[in-house]
Amino acid sequence: MIAVFNPAVFVGRYPEFTAAYNANPALFASMFSESGLYLNNTDCSIVQDVTLRSVLLNMVTAHIAFLSGLLTADGQPRPVGRVSAANEGAVGATFDFTPATPGSGAWFAQSQYGAAFWQATTCYRGMKYFANPTRVEWFTGTSLGEMAWLPRPV
């Protein structure tokens, strides 16, 4: 089962996007689909609970919307990075930022929504190692060999 975009839930959780959603609902449905690039939205997803997956996909949707500039008055993306220089006379600022790879921790850290997603999914980014059992053959005297499965020696 896949998570489906529910505009009422999204706008209820992120009311700051209400005006942007009302202006272009199809854009937010598209961003929800795009969020599936960062969290698998199929039956094979590591997040099997569809309700939880929907919450996480909404976080990514809000992050994508934020990066697209949908919360600014002029609709332009906000500058990202550390202020490296600022001018007072002729108002201006320079930002020091190395573009982050989409899907990386640095990319998600560009907004409060992405940072929340990154923290909420830490339990899914770890690795659990299960050693393969080792096949051991030995002669029992009655046949050419019987096989037993033993844990791999440490």
Side-chain angles (χ1 to χ4, degrees), residues 18-34:
T18 302
Y21 173 78
N22 290 336
N24 194 347
L27 178 62
F28 279 84
S30 174
M31 288 180 183
F32 186 84
S33 295
E34 182 182 342

Side-chain angles (χ1 to χ4, degrees), residues 42-148:
T42 67
D43 291 334
C44 297
S45 176
I46 194 166
V47 182
Q48 287 294 298
D49 180 6
V50 177
T51 305
L52 176 59
R53 190 181 329 140
S54 180
V55 169
L56 294 171
L57 289 168
N58 280 340
M59 287 179 180
V60 179
T61 302
H63 176 66
I64 294 168
F66 177 85
L67 292 181
S68 299
L70 295 178
L71 286 184
T72 58
D74 59 359
Q76 296 298 313
R78 294 181 177 153
V80 177
R82 181 181 63 84
V83 176
S84 59
N87 302 331
E88 196 172 320
V91 178
T94 305
F95 294 88
D96 194 19
F97 177 71
T98 303
T101 303
S104 68
W107 185 75
F108 281 111
Q110 295 179 74
S111 78
Q112 64 195 30
Y113 316 104
F117 171 82
W118 190 254
Q119 287 303 312
T121 57
T122 54
C123 60
Y124 300 111
R125 284 192 309 278
M127 184 180 93
K128 292 181 181 174
Y129 176 74
F130 297 101
N132 254 348
T134 303
R135 192 170 108 180
V136 179
E137 297 182 26
W138 66 85
F139 181 70
T140 61
T142 58
S143 67
L144 293 176
E146 294 180 17
M147 293 183 225

